[in-house]
Amino acid sequence: MATTSSLSKVLLPIFFIILVSALIPQAHSISEGDECESETTNSCNDKAGAVQLKIIAITSILVTSMIGVSLPLVTRAVPALHPDRDLFVIVKCFAGGIILATGFMHVLPDSFDMLNSNCLAEKPWHKFPFTGFVAMLSAIVTMMVDSMATSIYSKRSKAGAVNPDTDGVAAIEGDQEMAVAGGGHGHFHSHNHQVKGGSESQLSRYRVVAMVLELGIIVHSIVIGLSLGASNNTCTIKGLVAALCFHQMFEGMGLGGCILQAEYKFMKKVIMVFFFSITTPSGIALGMAVSKMYKENSPRALVTVGLLNASSAGLLIYMALVDLLSADFMGPKLQRSIKLQIKSYMAVLLGAGGMSLLAKWA
């Protein structure tokens, strides 16, 4: 239940910030105020048609999100996709490339566009690179949370306050990397307690990574859902629905791989899958609810969503490079095999390339 409470503490402030930014009257006085406060009028603006498309979007994105995040979990029964096999490492690198491209190609450019909009005052928004600054701070804060949470979780595990699942310890103990970390071939029997300690420490690390990564994805998913839900442009929505379905499915695969390695109990896995799956549809529903008051090109909305995107980008880029890709490529398993490294690099490029291609539509 700790997972539920921690996610609730994160989600509630996010929804509150977005609602407040949509409802509070604007205090900006710029020459382009009228244009920025009103929706663009063109032939694609159709509120009735947009509502139907949004309902389709909620259903289809919910289904594809559940499929994407659940796929790594249900394929555990396949021996080739067991966490200690080469294929799992390759698939994880593919997912890492997806998360990396999400940060660089989707979230960060959106933040730059919003915070450099002509609808914002010249000072301070056009005089200082807020997107890069907030993304940098977000990466540093993520590193702090990552490090401190791992330390606290490890200490609690050693003290017996947190007991990893029996199957989780067995799976991690069977990993070759943990065997190497625990001791050499000739001294393995005398350092068995080190292997167990290393297994629990690594398991704690996987759990922290899964939680922090889900946090970044949830923030990003709510923002893109809100933008879609508040729009009445049917031409834009049609392209976004298809692109976001692929986007959420691939992103879910990356998160699902991390949840699998974290070896959570069944109920915690269900909670994490549930939160990931409903965030974008919930964002769309929220956007529909406040569409009369929320104007995506109003100064307050641009600043709020732009800063949220920047913080989400910093988090996702850090997690992809440090906790997902670097941890694998600098680990013993990939360091022992150049051939496996090459395959993994190809998987990273394929995942990042595919996600970058989707940036044309979403």
Side-chain angles (χ1 to χ4, degrees), residues 11 15 33 100 110 159 164 170 194 196 236 282 299 322 333 338 341 352:
L11 287 174
F15 278 110
L100 184 64
D110 285 347
Q194 293 181 11
K196 184 175 181 180
T236 301
S282 297
V322 178
K333 192 177 188 67
I338 296 296
Q341 282 191 50

Side-chain angles (χ1 to χ4, degrees), residues 152-265:
I152 294 171
Y153 213 120
S154 299
K155 289 179 179 179
R156 291 178 61 192
S157 296
K158 291 178 183 177
V162 178
N163 295 316
D165 302 342
T166 304
D167 58 339
V169 175
I172 299 296
E173 285 181 348
D175 198 324
Q176 295 177 4
E177 296 180 19
M178 292 301 101
V180 173
H185 298 292
H187 300 281
F188 181 78
H189 63 282
S190 63
H191 296 280
N192 189 43
H193 63 282
Q194 293 181 11
V195 177
K196 184 175 181 180
S199 301
E200 293 180 358
S201 177
Q202 187 69 12
L203 186 59
S204 299
R205 181 82 185 124
Y206 286 146
R207 291 183 172 182
V208 171
V209 168
M211 288 296 298
V212 177
L213 180 61
E214 174 139 349
L215 168 62
I217 292 176
I218 282 176
V219 173
H220 167 54
S221 297
I222 291 175
V223 169
I224 60 177
L226 178 67
S227 299
L228 191 152
S231 174
N232 290 317
N233 190 314
T234 55
C235 300
T236 301
I237 294 174
K238 287 177 183 178
L240 275 176
V241 172
L244 286 177
C245 284
F246 285 103
H247 180 281
Q248 290 299 106
M249 185 167 67
F250 289 142
E251 202 169 52
M253 289 173 62
L255 177 62
C258 292
I259 296 175
L260 175 62
Q261 283 191 313
E263 292 291 341
Y264 284 116
K265 292 181 180 179

Side-chain angles (χ1 to χ4, degrees), residues 266-281:
F266 176 76
M267 186 53 63
K268 288 187 178 180
K269 290 180 180 178
V270 170
I271 291 171
M272 295 188 76
V273 168
F274 173 77
F275 271 104
F276 170 77
S277 301
I278 67 165
T279 46
T280 302

